[in-house]
Amino acid sequence: MNLSVALAGNPNTGKTSLFNALTGSNQRVGNWPGVTVELVEGTFRDDGGEIRVVDLPGTYSLGAASPDERVATEFLLSRSADLVAIVLDASNLERSLYLAVQILELDIPALLVVNMGDLAVSRGMDVDLDALSRRFGAPVVSTLARGDCARCASRGACVGCMSPRCLPQGDGVDSLKRAMRSAGALRRSPIRVPYGADVERAVSRLETAMSAAPRAASDEFGGMRMLALRLAERDPIVMDRIAEFSPDGEAGRILAEEDALLTERFGYGLDTATIERRWRFVSETASAVVAKGRVYRERLSVTDRIDRIVTSPFLGLIIFLAATWSVFKVTYLLGDPIAHVLETCVRLGGDIVLDALARMGAPAILSSLVSDGIIGGVGSVLIFVPQIMLLFAAIAMLEESGYMARGVFVMDRIMAMVGLHGKSFIPMIMGFGCNVPAIAATRILDNPRDRLLTLMVIPFMSCSARLPVYILFAGAFYGSNAPTVVFSLYVLGVVVAVVAARLLGGTLFRGEPNDLFIELPPYQAPTLRTVARSASESGLMFLRKAGTWILGGVVVMWAMANLPPGVPYAGEESLVGRLGHVIAPLFAPAGYGFWQAAVALVFGFFAKEVIVGTFGTLLGVSGTGLDAALAQFFTPLSAYAFLVMTLLYVPCIAAVAATYAETKSVRWTSFMVLFTVLAGYLASVAVFQIGRLLLPLFR
Amino acid sequence: MCPVKNIAEGREVRVLRLLGCGNMARRLCEVGVYPGARIRVLRNQGGPVMLGVGDARFAVGRGIAEKILVSDEE
């Protein structure tokens, strides 16, 4: 008989390493009914058939307050699994048991997996598995107690490698497999948490008020009592559906009444009281089943010792800045040589294709599309793929090691000064790589205000697509000062983001950022699997962008440069030339009021890298010839004004699409476009006009 | 009784009340910051406060830290 098992548990309980040990490489990402996101699932076979295991996100509770909790809760409520294996951390049993009680209350067949027993023993603790099984009315199995780690091949002592890389094998995992097979058949007794007279009274009143609720709905939550209990603790999923359970609003009234009553008596409401009673039960159970020896020690001392340093107010900030700076340094140090190799490949590949086309006698127009359009436009962008992948790999490492949360901790105060949330800096840093995933990453912010505000300033973070434009102009105009000029643009982007955040925070997004609330997970070594996944996902996303928006932009631009038929390619009489002439006067106050610059900016909307290619096309030169050609049009001052515009206006059409995907609002998306264009234009004009006044003073 | 934001670094205190933070109070309870629980103040030098709840570590902003009332002796 085939069986499906959900693996639930707190973060950092070794749940994922158990999952890997159970299913090996038979893993894939799959869709499940009742859940909107994809979950990782794997399978293994035993004598009885196939067992399908789903790795639920690690959570502390089923409170559905965070997206991860909501996914885990919805999955369990959908009853898609025949059995839930609840992974408990033996050395931290109390915390693990809270989630276990909540799952057992849902009345789903469950198996308690006491993991990392070795660690508990090494800390002088011993868990009485039989007592735990009796109290919770569910079978208990222990893993890794005597398991060998396939990685470090140590017996017992390997608990230090509790990272997902560790692959416990042997007795532990085999007995877990057997337990999964037999657990469903075992008789279980429902768990009964003593909630005390006050909570019980409220719960039974709520039960009565919801007696009209459809049977199917209450069964989903494990019966009427459980539904009432979850309502008492104001579970968001139940609160969302309160009208369905109590159409006359009676349940809502009782909830408010009992809440007021308890607040008067205890100083806290019904929801707090319910959770507090559950914790008390968990706490009592934990102290009854865990024997603490004399050698009992606190864990996480290493993490705490590192935290003493990295979270201190000043040193912590310096370490954080150094860490961020290293990420960029390493990205470019490793990425540049690869980019050079790729550049050569693209050029050689292009030559081969053009040669082949010429030999086949392809029409000139096709060769022109391939050489001017596709190779010149898309090829020049593909070169950046390694850098993007490296940057995302580095960010994934920071994230998985646990350091990112410390970054949030030290940055919170600074971000709050400009009206942003501590977590806002994560998407902002990602924005230096590419704005598109950065915009998606704003999802980590719970408060809509914080999220929208962060979204609106991300476009000012100078993404890697803008770098080729900086490099072209800096090389052509600033000689040995080129690195300083490029760096100044990155800084300017941050400054504008800060000013914009303050400005918008005081007008459209009034109010304070949400208070910080974040877990600081214990430090662990990042795993290759996660880092590689993040790198390949970002690489693929960038390739998709290259294949769609950039290719599209390049082809449209190429076509407009060839139309109407018969005009010289990309000449003043072509469509692009005419378009440029219409727009160009607008840019005269910024010092570059000629049509080629206008066209480049218009096509930069597809993707900023296209600006470089556009100049190449319009000026009829490429490579080093472009420097000289640009010098005929720009002065060093107007070139800088142009770079400021390039930095600040709409990142690219993919970023606009991402903004729409995240906000689902045409209004906010148009606002982002107008706001950034306006900011870019005003800053560019200001640079040119002020520069013109000031420059003579320095001569 | 005083807010946890006034507690010096390194001290262990007992949670007494969570003042009207609505969803945040529930969230804190669920991770183990419930009335009656013992927590440790690991970092409190302006900016967010780092709390030790058993083996777990949480950072809470000062606004939240003001609403977690704890016993100020022990």
Side-chain angles (χ1 to χ4, degrees):
Chain A
M1 197 185 77
N2 293 346
L3 193 69
S4 65
V5 180
L7 215 53
N10 290 174
N12 309 309
T13 46
K15 186 169 66 69
T16 302
S17 66
L18 274 180
F19 177 69
N20 291 340
L22 283 170
T23 61
S25 54
N26 291 324
Q27 295 180 5
R28 62 186 193 91
V29 174
N31 286 303
W32 288 77
V35 195
T36 45
V37 299
E38 292 179 321
L39 293 168
V40 183
E41 62 177 70
T43 53
F44 66 86
R45 298 193 69 84
D46 65 359
D47 302 336
E50 193 181 70
I51 297 188
R52 192 172 169 204
V53 188
V54 190
D55 192 18
L56 294 182
T59 63
Y60 286 117
S61 73
L62 295 184
S66 75
D68 274 355
E69 285 173 13
R70 199 158 184 125
V71 167
T73 310
E74 282 172 349
F75 183 87
L76 293 173
L77 289 179
S78 73
R79 318 260 152 178
S80 307
D82 304 314
L83 176 77
V84 193
I86 308 166
V87 183
L88 310 172
D89 174 359
S91 64
N92 198 4
L93 199 67
E94 186 172 332
R95 169 164 300 278
S96 302
L97 286 179
Y98 184 84
L99 175 72
V101 169
Q102 278 196 312
I103 294 175
L104 289 168
E105 283 184 314
L106 290 179
D107 199 26
I108 301 173
L111 168 68
L112 299 177
V113 184
V114 177
N115 196 25
M116 305 198 292
D118 325 42
L119 187 59
V121 171
S122 73
R123 292 178 61 203
M125 295 157 73
D126 196 20
V127 181
D128 185 343
L129 301 179
D130 291 332
L132 181 62
S133 178
R134 272 198 311 278
R135 278 177 182 262
F136 276 21
V140 175
V141 63
S142 75
T143 48
L144 214 84
R146 283 174 306 279
D148 301 357
C149 172
R151 214 181 111 71
C152 55
S154 60
R155 296 182 72 88
C158 144
V159 281
C161 135
M162 69 188 211
S163 70
R165 276 188 306 199
C166 176
L167 296 171
Q169 285 179 336
D171 301 348
V173 171
D174 282 339
S175 57
L176 174 57
K177 286 181 177 176
R178 279 196 301 275
M180 282 181 171
R181 179 55 76 185
S182 58
L186 288 177
R187 262 176 57 89
R188 42 199 175 92
S189 41
I191 192 165
R192 192 86 190 176
V193 179
Y195 281 103
D198 296 291
V199 174
E200 292 290 357
R201 184 195 57 237
V203 167
S204 63
R205 286 186 70 193
L206 289 171
E207 260 185 81
T208 318
M210 293 190 293
S211 52
R215 181 72 200 274
S218 62
D219 279 355
E220 205 180 309
F221 292 89
M224 206 41 137
R225 179 184 147 79
M226 273 317 301
L227 181 60
L229 202 58
R230 289 186 79 91
L231 182 60
E233 61 183 293
R234 290 181 187 269
D235 176 275
I237 293 177
V238 179
M239 292 298 281
D240 286 351
R241 291 168 61 184
I242 190 167
E244 177 191 334
F245 303 133
S246 169
D248 55 358
E250 181 64 11
R253 274 191 296 279
I254 293 174
L255 197 61
E257 200 181 298
E258 290 288 343
D259 222 22
L261 208 71
L262 261 78
T263 308
E264 200 178 312
R265 279 190 57 187
F266 300 113
Y268 46 84
L270 179 61
D271 51 350
T272 308
T274 311
I275 298 167
E276 185 250 342
R277 294 295 138 84
R278 190 182 289 131
W279 264 111
R280 211 169 269 186
F281 171 69
V282 162
S283 206
E284 279 161 19
T285 309
S287 44
V289 303
V290 179
K292 285 184 185 175
R294 268 179 305 170
V295 287
Y296 173 74
R297 287 183 279 130
E298 283 278 334
R299 194 174 65 176
L300 286 182
S301 53
V302 176
T303 291
D304 282 340
R305 249 176 282 156
I306 298 174
D307 277 345
R308 289 307 302 165
I309 302 163
V310 302
T311 64
S312 59
F314 293 104
L315 190 57
L317 201 58
I318 289 164
I319 293 172
F320 170 75
L321 293 176
T324 321
W325 182 81
S326 318
V327 164
F328 285 102
K329 196 75 193 160
V330 169
T331 302
Y332 289 110
L333 225 57
L334 294 178
D336 261 352
I338 309 176
H340 281 302
V341 173
L342 273 181
E343 196 177 0
T344 316
C345 291
V346 166
R347 210 180 48 234
L348 292 179
D351 287 350
I352 292 171
V353 173
L354 282 179
D355 253 19
L357 282 174
R359 246 179 289 130
M360 286 188 300
I365 189 121
L366 185 62
S367 307
S368 153
L369 173 63
V370 172
S371 72
D372 299 326
I374 297 167
I375 297 169
V378 182
S380 62
V381 178
L382 290 184
I383 296 164
F384 293 97
V385 172
Q387 259 128 335
I388 299 243
M389 289 176 71
L390 280 166
L391 182 67
F392 281 92
I395 289 170
M397 274 200 250
L398 285 184
E399 182 96 58
E400 210 195 354
S401 68
Y403 182 70
M404 199 65 115
R406 277 72 184 182
V408 171
F409 185 88
V410 295
M411 284 301 284
D412 185 62
R413 229 190 305 189
I414 292 167
M415 300 304 274
M417 280 180 209
V418 296
L420 287 166
H421 191 269
K423 284 186 192 166
S424 301
F425 91 84
I426 296 179
M428 285 173 79
I429 283 187
M430 290 173 77
F432 283 124
C434 175
N435 285 184
V436 175
I439 288 166
T442 56
R443 277 179 225 166
I444 58 168
L445 293 153
D446 304 321
N447 183 1
R449 172 205 173 267
D450 299 346
R451 187 155 180 235
L452 262 178
L453 184 54
T454 310
L455 247 163
M456 292 301 149
V457 303
I458 283 176
F460 299 128
M461 308 311 284
S462 186
C463 69
S464 50
R466 292 164 229 193
L467 191 59
V469 189
Y470 304 162
I471 292 173
L472 171 68
F473 277 81
F477 292 100
Y478 309 113
S480 62
N481 288 326
T484 318
V485 168
V486 172
F487 184 69
S488 76
L489 289 161
Y490 276 85
V491 174
L492 181 69
V494 176
V495 170
V496 172
V498 165
V499 172
R502 283 230 57 112
L503 191 77
L504 295 176
T507 50
L508 284 173
F509 302 94
R510 270 185 200 285
E512 294 290 309
N514 247 11
D515 241 333
L516 184 68
F517 178 68
I518 188 175
E519 195 203 346
L520 306 168
Y523 292 104
Q524 59 170 8
T527 58
L528 190 61
R529 189 191 285 249
T530 322
V531 173
R533 187 180 293 168
S534 172
S536 57
E537 270 171 14
S538 63
L540 278 177
M541 190 214 65
F542 196 74
L543 287 179
R544 265 203 301 277
K545 176 183 163 193
T548 50
W549 298 113
I550 300 179
L551 180 65
V554 163
V555 170
V556 168
M557 145 77 198
W558 172 86
M560 285 179 69
N562 270 309
L563 291 174
V567 295
Y569 180 65
E572 286 195 67
E573 289 311 308
S574 66
L575 281 184
V576 283
R578 292 182 209 175
L579 175 73
H581 274 297
V582 174
I583 307 171
L586 278 175
F587 293 113
Y592 44 90
F594 49 93
W595 67 270
Q596 291 93 335
V599 172
L601 288 173
V602 167
F603 285 99
F605 182 73
F606 286 97
K608 291 275 165 82
E609 303 92 330
V610 177
I611 292 178
V612 175
T614 308
F615 273 120
T617 306
L618 297 182
L619 304 180
V621 281
S622 66
T624 42
L626 203 48
D627 287 6
L630 283 174
Q632 295 169 4
F633 292 94
F634 287 96
T635 63
L637 178 62
S638 68
Y640 195 73
F642 183 80
L643 288 181
V644 169
M645 181 71 192
T646 304
L647 161 71
L648 298 176
Y649 86 104
V650 194
C652 63
I653 200 154
V656 175
T659 305
Y660 180 73
E662 295 305 318
T663 58
K664 292 272 176 284
S665 151
V666 175
R667 245 182 76 221
W668 284 118
T669 311
S670 337
F671 177 79
M672 186 276 270
V673 172
L674 290 177
F675 182 63
T676 54
V677 168
L678 201 65
Y681 182 74
L682 292 178
S684 187
V685 170
V687 162
F688 185 69
Q689 296 300 339
I690 296 172
R692 218 161 47 145
L693 289 175
L694 294 184
L695 272 187
L697 303 178
F698 293 100
R699 290 232 168 85
Chain B
M1 188 152 65
C2 79
V4 77
K5 71 162 192 169
N6 296 347
I7 300 291
E9 259 178 37
R11 289 192 51 201
E12 184 169 326
V13 288
R14 188 175 290 280
V15 178
L16 296 174
R17 271 188 200 188
L18 303 169
L19 295 180
C21 1
N23 280 340
M24 186 47 75
R26 206 185 66 244
R27 196 118 188 73
L28 286 167
C29 280
E30 282 174 340
V31 300
V33 184
Y34 56 91
R38 300 185 69 85
I39 58 173
R40 285 195 296 150
V41 179
L42 295 169
R43 178 65 76 187
N44 187 6
Q45 298 191 358
V49 179
M50 196 201 293
L51 301 176
V53 187
D55 278 349
R57 304 286 176 263
F58 294 95
V60 298
R62 293 202 81 74
I64 298 172
E66 198 168 3
K67 291 173 180 161
I68 303 174
L69 298 187
V70 298
S71 59
D72 51 358
E73 50 203 324
E74 256 173 291

